[in-house]
């Protein structure tokens, strides 16, 4: 009797959907990315066009997997907006994706890709990012992970045994809206006052630099970092304040949640030691005794984290086992 | 053939071990307390004496349960200190219980009560409190609960699907050590600076009253509330500041964690509207849109919460199923 062929490890398509770009990858069971593609997000053309673009990226990857004899288990999506992971429906979204709220990713992609709707999973992009880092990246093997992303906004995700804390209203991980001493009196994009995002996001850091008398020709946070590298003391001071606020808030959250690992990502985390040094110092100063050896670490996978994390919704045992059971979406908006 | 007797619902003994008092109760499967007793904690006499006292309380309750034909499944303990729930071992403790660190509750009570060590479970007292409120009290039925207790210190617990977030170092729930604007520059008992506990605990509220020029004859936080009730404006102001700090911090944590319910307990929570009104206002001001209907609620069970919660370690399906698997303790201290 001929021996059976060895079992083929599964694959999945991971999608990272942002306001300006959609990235897609074919991800192996071990997280290896074997093929990738991307398209600009047709945000202004509305959600049907966005779904079309996702399908345009995913279809050839699904076909390639099948042709290689390692069929994909489905499509995992890390999407901008507030996502209900039980239904893969968009609960709310920002102006970057007009009309996106209410989009049913399962129905929309199941039909376009001719796959069963239950083979489509979605979480928000920061959860996808954390899932990737927790699976294969800076927090691989950690039983709990607090990830914070500092960029245009501030996002986050708490992974517990490999599963994001989605929260009762699917907004768990909104770390930008904790109180910050450094943000006292400052308006937050959420409408509140004094939140971390009002001082520690990229735009807030830039605004702080300008408020403190910085060169009005400096157009954004990236340019503030350039100025700091050139010795601009006001730029260094603004970075120090923003990063101190970030470190202090993360240290307090670590005290409350006692995670195994703290991972910091986002555009600001790529900016170098002028930001990391005050963040680490403020974080350390905040910690209670039992956490004293905890040090925030930079994310390790870059943009691949969200692709791997999205695919992990189908591939990684913890995430897929603990995802809420499939249920029919209800109109939300 | 005679009909079998109907199945008897199980019971368990719940223990609430504090620095001054040990309370014990026989708890039914529905949370009903059918019998209770208490003793002063023989703290100064050392951990063996404390174990003796717990056994002295628990033994007659176990016997009563057996005599009533509803044998207890075991003994659940909510204990002061940092507890490893997987081993029921005390990892660290405060000066209120000298020598308590390192105590193995399973071995100590198993031997004294002649029950199998695996029938002894333990968590810290604030987790026990939250388990009780989440099972039967103010958060009954909520899938996630953030509980904060404001008293001599500030403690907390995040219950997810009925299970406390113990944390990687068993210190999850230390909500008193998040940054607080109102505590800027103030020393915290943990050794840090600017933490919530430095402004919003009972002793901190009292210290604030004295610092702001209050009557030096006022001996403690309780007396500050009495003064406030009598119209002392400095007392009202100190209460307002401490409660505002509490509400702001809890609102920020709610934004980050998106719990179904927020429960507030502890001695200060019993002090009335002079404390609750600013807490609620500050909490509401902090919330992001999706959480806007979330209102912190007072705990409902009083001291019975910890007794029921401790017993729930054996009786309630979620807590008992999700407790870490029994493992032999390793020396910790």
């Amino acid at each position: 009797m001929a021996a059976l062929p060895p079992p083929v490890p599964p694959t999945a398509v991971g999608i990272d959907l942002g306001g300006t770009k959609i990235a897609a990858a074919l991800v192996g069971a071990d997280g290896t990315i074997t093929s990738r593609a991307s398209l600009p997000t047709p945000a202004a053309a509305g959600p049907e066009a966005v779904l079309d673009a996702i399908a345009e990226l995913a279809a050839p990857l699904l076909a390639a997997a099948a042709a290689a004899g390692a069929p994909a288990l489905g499509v995992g999506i890390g999407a901008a907006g507030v996502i209900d992971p039980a239904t893969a429906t968009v609960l709310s979204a920002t102006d970057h994706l007009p009309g996106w709220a209410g989009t049913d990713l399962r129905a929309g992609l199941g039909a376009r890709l001719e796959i069963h709707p239950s083979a489509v999973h979605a979480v928000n992009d920061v959860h996808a990012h954390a899932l990737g880092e927790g699976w294969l990246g800076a927090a691989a093997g950690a039983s709990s992970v607090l990830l914070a992303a500092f960029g245009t906004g501030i996002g986050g995700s708490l992974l517990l045994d490999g599963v994001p804390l989605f929260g009762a209203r699917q907004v768990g991980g909104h770390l930008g809206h904790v109180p910050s001493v450094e943000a006292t009196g400052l308006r937050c994009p959420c409408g509140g006052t004094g939140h971390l995002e009002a001082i520690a996001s990229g735009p807030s850091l830039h605004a702080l630099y300008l408020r403190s008398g910085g060169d009005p020709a400096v157009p954004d946070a990236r340019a503030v970092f350039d100025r700091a590298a050139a010795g601009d003391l006001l730029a260094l001071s603004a970075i120090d304040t923003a990063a101190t606020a970030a470190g202090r808030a993360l240290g307090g959250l670590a005290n409350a949640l006692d995670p195994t690992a703290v991972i910091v990502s986002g555009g600001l985390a790529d900016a170098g030691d002028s930001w990391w040094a005050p963040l680490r110092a403020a974080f350390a100063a905040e910690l209670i005794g039992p956490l004293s050896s905890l040090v925030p670490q930079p994310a390790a996978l870059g943009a691949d984290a969200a692709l791997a994390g999205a695919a992990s919704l189908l591939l990684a045992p913890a995430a897929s086992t603990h995802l809420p059971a499939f249920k029919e979406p209800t109109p939300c908006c």
Side-chain angles (χ1 to χ4, degrees), chain A:
Chain A
M1 199 171 85
L4 288 169
V8 177
T11 62
V13 171
I15 302 281
D16 180 13
L17 167 61
T20 57
K21 192 180 96 165
I22 308 172
L26 185 61
V27 181
D30 61 355
T32 311
I33 291 179
T34 53
S35 182
R36 63 176 82 222
S38 68
L39 280 173
T41 308
E48 296 297 321
V50 173
L51 290 168
D52 288 343
I54 296 173
E56 186 181 335
L57 289 165
L61 295 173
L62 293 172
L73 298 176
V75 178
I77 305 159
V82 176
I83 310 295
D84 180 357
T87 60
T89 302
V90 182
L91 298 178
S92 63
T94 66
D95 295 342
H96 296 298
L97 286 169
W100 187 235
T103 301
D104 180 342
L105 292 161
R106 272 206 174 116
L109 292 175
R112 282 170 175 80
L113 294 168
E114 297 181 341
I115 60 178
H116 194 272
S118 67
V120 178
H121 288 290
V123 294
N124 89 27
D125 44 6
V126 187
H127 289 318
H129 197 97
L131 283 166
E133 292 289 342
W135 182 25
L136 303 159
S143 63
S144 58
V145 182
L146 180 67
L147 176 137
F150 294 85
T152 307
I154 296 173
S157 181
L158 177 66
L159 289 190
L160 301 171
D161 292 325
V163 183
L165 177 66
F166 293 116
R169 301 154 196 84
Q170 315 301 343
V171 295
H174 275 64
L175 307 186
H177 308 287
V178 296
S180 167
V181 176
E182 289 79 6
T184 301
L186 299 177
R187 295 291 287 182
C188 181
C190 77
T193 304
H195 288 170
L196 180 62
E197 189 163 301
I199 190 76
S201 71
S204 295
L205 191 165
H206 176 234
L208 172 62
Y209 171 74
L210 296 180
R211 265 202 320 280
S212 64
D215 182 349
V218 167
D220 56 20
R222 183 179 299 267
V224 177
F225 280 98
D226 292 343
R227 288 295 181 109
D232 181 335
L233 293 181
L234 289 174
L236 281 164
S237 171
I239 293 166
D240 187 86
T241 299
T244 297
R248 195 194 296 270
L250 286 181
L253 286 166
N255 287 340
L257 301 170
D258 187 11
T260 309
V262 173
I263 307 297
V264 178
S265 71
L268 299 189
D270 298 330
D273 206 52
S274 63
W275 188 80
W276 272 97
L279 182 144
R280 286 207 183 93
F283 184 90
E286 207 67 17
L287 297 179
I288 56 176
L291 275 74
S292 56
S293 65
L294 184 61
V295 177
Q297 302 291 338
L301 301 181
D304 282 356
L307 292 166
S312 82
L313 296 170
L314 296 118
L315 293 170
S320 52
T321 307
H322 288 82
L323 271 179
F326 182 78
K327 68 179 185 191
E328 293 302 320
T330 48
C332 66
C333 316

